[in-house]
Amino acid sequence: MPPFTYRLSPAAAVPYAHREQVAEAAVAAAGRFARDAGVDRLTIDNPMARGFFSFADAPAPRAPELTELFPADPPGAPDASGPAGPSGYHDGARVPLATGLALLRTMLLREGPWCRLHDESGFFLHVGERHDLYIGGTRSNPEAAAHTRGASGLTVEPVDRSPYDPALDAYDPLPPADGAFWTALHRLVAERGGVLVEERYVAGAHRWYRPTTAAGISRVRARLTPRARLAVWPDLDDDIEAVRAAVRRSERLELLVQQRPDGSSPWARIAEPWLGRTDLAHPMIGAGAGCRAGLVPLAPADRRPLLAGVLPDADGVVRARWRTDRTPADARRTLLGSLRTGDVVTGTVVSGLDDVGVHVDLDLDPEAGSEAGPGRDGGWGRRPFGFLRVPEMSWEHFDDLDEVAPVGRRIRAEILDVDLGRERVSLSVKALHPDPWRAFADTHPIGASLPATVTRTVPFGVVVRLAPGVEGLIHRSELPEGTFESGDEVRTTLLGMDLRRRRISLGLDG
């Protein structure tokens, strides 16, 4: 009988608040299909840490069933950073069905990891990009499909195949990290005095090692995760100023790797220009005796390591086929990396955060910008690209977000900052318009007599509008007895102006 594949998806757009119910229904359906197929264990294939839906840093899921897959991270050791030794979450790991279903739930909720799950019998579970789940195997199961349709609120439809079928993968075969690899690594360490070893134990996550001796190489080998990909790079640099300058130039997407004086390494992070600043109270790139740093390219086209390989299994056979298919996270990272401060973008307000600001779904590459988040049909897995804070919305005073940035409004804004770590673009609408305070200061000398309109009263005086976007204060000591109401027209004298602090003091004429 030919293989079967079912696609499970929500019957309608799913509000953010209901995402857990939908995930639970899909997990329950997957468990029913698996048990009916006689599956009690699943194999992890092509695991990703946070690299399918998002490349931003995120804590590992802590569901009780996943403790062995994602153990707590101990402090770094002198030759490495990150968890000490392999976790259970790696390519080829066999896990009980309950563990596999708990992992499936984290994927459906977009909580970080992604992988394919399968059994030797041909049964598989694949989580898709749009809150869908593909379940398949060698034997159809109309009873489980009918039960799922009737009880879960999910649609169940037969399809030709899963779009995540391993047979459709693109991949770059790597040589084995075998005896020849380790011999070459010993030679490089002897010649250079040290190198930087990158271990990609799952996609989207790295561990770093800096062996400087043969004994250091042995310690590295003892800590590696099964089937990991290894790349050897030139040693970290103790010329911290040169590294800072390279980070500020930001010529390409790179990982900043550092070593502390005690020999340990913190987590690597994407090198953003602000990390290279030296005017901060605590510079992000540490300097001094024992401090080293370096940059490792992220884009596949830029990666040219000194040595590379993938760990074979215990019998010497390389079974890991690490997929190189472009994921939504790859598209987001590439897109965000292409944006620059000062670029002008357009987008739609999709949600607000009270008095803080609003999220904006930018008109960018649809491949990278789909499923923007709460407020968009069916999306909860990713934050919107743009964030417009209240102070950047308008030069003029307003009392409510809905006056200037209601949900659904189209806006045009300038990029103030691109935060790759948070996958967020800071926006400013008012940056596209002349500063009315500057124009006012250039044309109105101290002592000038000015007409004004009362906008509101405050405990220490009356606020008046002098020009669009420009307000000043008449202190209560300058006010006669009586009250003023919003809309009253008054005549004022300009007593003082602090352009930096945006403050104008006024008196009443006459």
Side-chain angles (χ1 to χ4, degrees), residues 255-508:
L255 285 169
L256 170 66
V257 186
Q258 299 187 70
Q259 184 183 60
R260 299 188 180 104
D262 64 0
S264 64
S265 296
W267 292 106
R269 60 183 298 169
I270 295 175
E272 300 179 63
W274 70 271
L275 296 177
R277 290 174 54 184
T278 56
D279 58 337
L280 302 174
H282 302 285
M284 296 300 296
I285 305 178
C291 289
R292 292 174 174 266
L295 297 170
V296 175
L298 269 174
D302 297 328
R303 291 176 61 86
R304 297 179 178 83
L306 302 173
L307 192 62
V310 60
L311 288 177
D313 289 347
D315 59 4
V317 177
V318 175
R319 293 186 174 86
R321 288 168 49 101
W322 290 102
R323 69 198 302 265
T324 58
D325 304 67
R326 186 175 172 84
T327 67
D330 294 327
R332 286 166 68 82
R333 184 168 60 192
T334 299
L335 180 57
L336 287 170
S338 71
L339 299 177
R340 294 291 181 269
T341 299
D343 288 353
V344 177
V345 293
T346 57
T348 304
V349 177
V350 294
S351 64
L353 293 176
D354 298 325
D355 296 330
V356 179
V358 294
H359 291 120
V360 180
D361 182 14
L362 300 180
D363 298 332
L364 301 173
D365 183 352
E367 180 186 2
S370 62
E371 299 184 34
R376 188 160 179 166
D377 287 348
W380 65 66
R382 309 180 212 167
R383 294 183 300 276
F385 276 125
F387 192 72
L388 176 62
R389 292 187 177 277
V390 168
E392 297 299 330
M393 291 182 178
S394 175
W395 290 108
E396 297 196 37
H397 172 79
F398 57 90
D399 295 315
D400 194 298
L401 284 182
D402 284 344
E403 295 180 33
V404 291
V407 172
R409 173 163 293 182
R410 299 281 300 162
I411 66 165
R412 184 170 178 267
E414 180 177 307
I415 293 177
L416 298 181
D417 177 64
V418 180
D419 188 335
L420 288 167
R422 296 182 181 178
E423 299 183 11
R424 188 170 70 185
V425 179
S426 296
L427 304 172
S428 174
V429 170
K430 72 181 190 182
L432 298 179
H433 304 280
D435 182 352
W437 283 74
R438 177 70 63 182
F440 185 88
D442 291 343
T443 55
H444 295 83
I446 301 300
S449 178
L450 305 167
T453 303
V454 174
T455 60
R456 61 193 183 279
T457 59
V458 292
F460 38 85
V462 173
V463 178
V464 299
R465 182 171 59 207
L466 300 167
V470 180
E471 292 186 330
L473 174 71
I474 305 174
H475 194 269
R476 63 187 178 187
S477 62
E478 298 286 335
L479 295 172
E481 291 189 11
T483 60
F484 289 88
E485 295 182 358
S486 177
D488 287 350
E489 301 291 335
V490 296
R491 194 80 190 177
T492 65
T493 300
L494 181 59
L495 301 179
M497 182 182 304
D498 185 336
L499 188 60
R500 184 181 65 83
R501 299 172 68 188
R502 304 283 170 165
R503 292 183 178 179
I504 293 176
S505 58
L506 303 162
L508 278 177

Side-chain angles (χ1 to χ4, degrees), residues 93-381:
R94 291 279 288 169
V95 298
L97 176 61
T99 302
L101 294 177
L103 184 56
L104 181 69
R105 184 179 186 277
T106 69
M107 290 188 272
L108 290 165
L109 291 174
R110 307 296 197 254
E111 291 181 348
W114 183 90
C115 67
R116 292 180 295 218
L117 296 165
H118 65 83
D119 179 69
E120 294 175 354
S121 66
F123 179 83
F124 65 82
L125 300 170
H126 299 162
V127 174
E129 296 180 23
R130 301 185 180 279
H131 313 112
D132 44 11
L133 172 63
Y134 294 87
I135 301 178
T138 57
R139 183 173 61 84
S140 63
N141 193 332
E143 294 83 5
H147 176 80
T148 301
R149 288 190 188 98
S152 67
L154 299 173
T155 62
V156 183
E157 57 182 331
V159 294
D160 291 337
R161 71 192 308 176
S162 164
Y164 307 99
D165 187 334
L168 302 176
D169 283 356
Y171 69 97
D172 293 328
L174 290 174
D178 54 10
F181 175 94
W182 296 106
T183 297
L185 180 58
H186 276 274
R187 184 175 64 251
L188 285 171
V189 169
E191 292 172 352
R192 295 167 175 261
V195 293
L196 180 66
V197 177
E198 174 190 20
E199 177 196 7
R200 286 187 287 169
Y201 56 101
V202 297
H206 312 254
R207 293 192 185 99
W208 305 92
Y209 309 86
R210 185 176 172 262
T212 57
T213 64
I217 294 175
S218 296
R219 287 194 293 272
V220 169
R221 295 187 69 172
R223 295 168 59 94
L224 298 175
T225 302
R227 299 188 179 181
R229 288 166 292 178
L230 306 179
V232 180
W233 302 95
D235 198 5
L236 298 177
D237 198 339
D238 58 7
D239 186 349
I240 299 301
E241 290 309 313
V243 176
R244 286 173 172 165
V247 170
R248 290 194 297 270
R249 288 196 300 272
S250 186
E251 296 173 342
R252 59 187 179 182
L253 282 173
E254 295 175 299
L255 285 169
L256 170 66
V257 186
Q258 299 187 70
Q259 184 183 60
R260 299 188 180 104
D262 64 0
S264 64
S265 296
W267 292 106
R269 60 183 298 169
I270 295 175
E272 300 179 63
W274 70 271
L275 296 177
R277 290 174 54 184
T278 56
D279 58 337
L280 302 174
H282 302 285
M284 296 300 296
I285 305 178
C291 289
R292 292 174 174 266
L295 297 170
V296 175
L298 269 174
D302 297 328
R303 291 176 61 86
R304 297 179 178 83
L306 302 173
L307 192 62
V310 60
L311 288 177
D313 289 347
D315 59 4
V317 177
V318 175
R319 293 186 174 86
R321 288 168 49 101
W322 290 102
R323 69 198 302 265
T324 58
D325 304 67
R326 186 175 172 84
T327 67
D330 294 327
R332 286 166 68 82
R333 184 168 60 192
T334 299
L335 180 57
L336 287 170
S338 71
L339 299 177
R340 294 291 181 269
T341 299
D343 288 353
V344 177
V345 293
T346 57
T348 304
V349 177
V350 294
S351 64
L353 293 176
D354 298 325
D355 296 330
V356 179
V358 294
H359 291 120
V360 180
D361 182 14
L362 300 180
D363 298 332
L364 301 173
D365 183 352
E367 180 186 2
S370 62
E371 299 184 34
R376 188 160 179 166
D377 287 348
W380 65 66

Side-chain angles (χ1 to χ4, degrees), residues 12-54:
V14 182
Y16 180 79
H18 295 167
R19 69 197 189 285
E20 291 196 6
Q21 294 95 307
V22 174
E24 291 296 347
V27 169
R32 169 71 182 266
F33 274 94
R35 285 186 288 271
D36 286 359
V39 172
D40 60 1
R41 297 185 71 83
L42 292 167
T43 300
I44 293 173
D45 175 58
N46 265 256
M48 299 182 181
R50 53 188 177 274
F52 192 78
F53 302 109
S54 169

